[in-house]
Amino acid sequence: GQLGDGSVTRRRTPVSVSGLTGVSDIAAGAFHTCALARSIAAYCWGRNDGGQLGLDKSTSSLALPGAVSVAGLAIAAGGAHTCVLTYIGPHCWGRNDRGQLGDGSITDQHRPVPVRGLVQPATAIALGNAHGCALLVSGEVRCWGAGTAGQLGSGSPRDETLPVSALGLTGAAAIVAGFQHSCALLADGSARCWGDNAQGQLGQADGPRSTSPTVVTGLAQATALAAGARHGCAVLA
């Protein structure tokens, strides 16, 4: 039901999400979709096996948008978790077996819980398969959740249930996350990536992974970044 048209029918051309208007932001996870709409309220639809829709745990899936008890400025979707950047910081819900909700626990949550331990206000969020990152007002990046591929950038390949700093990273202007890697666009137009590199998704050839931010080779004057599951792209000035 991740298309939100009230059915579970595969579509080869675009269909309207039923009953949803005034959308300001949208995000797609592995098998679910969420949007901010109608006075910045959050709505989600699709699979709910990890609680990623923010609805009652008895709901296994939903083919129409369901309202979540949170409002925000931006929304992001991961493998089976979701986060909204609210006025008082990121709030997340869904699967939490790797600490991907950032609340200090590994307990799944079917309702939004605040990400704990961010030392400054966040201006952006990005979610991978089982991790998340926040961009802080200072240009620092902090990440949490699954870290075995180095996708938290902390210098250690371990999971973290609370946000940790991406080592040595300052001056970030935007962040993105793939399946097991993360990237930041810096204010000078260069980019840094960290995590899994088995398919070259860090933009540098050496090594299968990096547990700390590394320079994307040959990239300058970038204005935007995007990350797929195992690749990345940039828009140049």
Side-chain angles (χ1 to χ4, degrees):
Q2 60 264 51
L3 302 189
D5 67 344
S7 78
V8 292
T9 302
R10 181 177 299 180
R11 306 293 188 184
R12 299 187 182 274
T13 56
V15 293
S16 293
V17 176
S18 181
L20 202 60
T21 59
V23 173
S24 60
D25 198 17
I26 194 164
F31 296 100
H32 76 293
T33 314
C34 294
L36 292 178
R38 298 176 182 169
S39 302
I40 61 176
Y43 293 82
C44 293
W45 57 95
R47 184 177 291 179
N48 195 43
D49 55 329
Q52 59 265 50
L53 300 189
L55 306 173
D56 185 88
K57 63 180 65 178
S58 64
T59 304
S60 60
S61 64
L62 192 66
L64 293 170
V68 185
S69 58
V70 67
L73 305 169
I75 196 163
H81 68 302
T82 310
C83 294
V84 163
L85 181 60
T86 78
Y87 292 105
I88 57 173
H91 283 59
C92 301
W93 60 91
R95 185 163 293 150
N96 198 32
D97 57 322
R98 307 290 296 275
Q100 56 262 54
L101 302 188
D103 67 341
S105 79
I106 53 171
T107 302
D108 292 356
Q109 299 289 342
H110 290 254
R111 298 296 183 189
V113 294
V115 175
R116 295 172 48 204
L118 291 176
V119 296
Q120 300 169 355
T123 61
I125 50 175
L127 302 186
N129 179 58
H131 77 288
C133 293
L135 172 62
L136 306 185
V137 291
S138 64
E140 178 187 353
V141 174
R142 294 206 168 198
C143 302
W144 59 90
T148 51
Q151 60 266 51
L152 305 186
S154 65
S156 171
R158 69 183 184 192
D159 296 357
E160 299 285 353
T161 62
L162 293 171
V164 292
S165 292
L167 292 179
L169 190 64
T170 59
I175 52 173
V176 297
F179 190 79
Q180 288 185 316
H181 74 292
S182 310
C183 296
L185 175 66
L186 273 56
D188 64 4
S190 64
R192 305 288 188 274
C193 294
W194 56 96
D196 183 30
N197 194 42
Q199 281 76 43
Q201 55 264 56
L202 302 189
Q204 49 91 27
D206 295 330
R209 69 182 186 188
S210 176
T211 59
S212 60
T214 60
V215 177
V216 177
T217 304
L219 189 65
Q221 295 186 325
T223 60
L225 288 180
R230 294 177 178 85
H231 72 292
C233 292
V235 177
L236 305 185

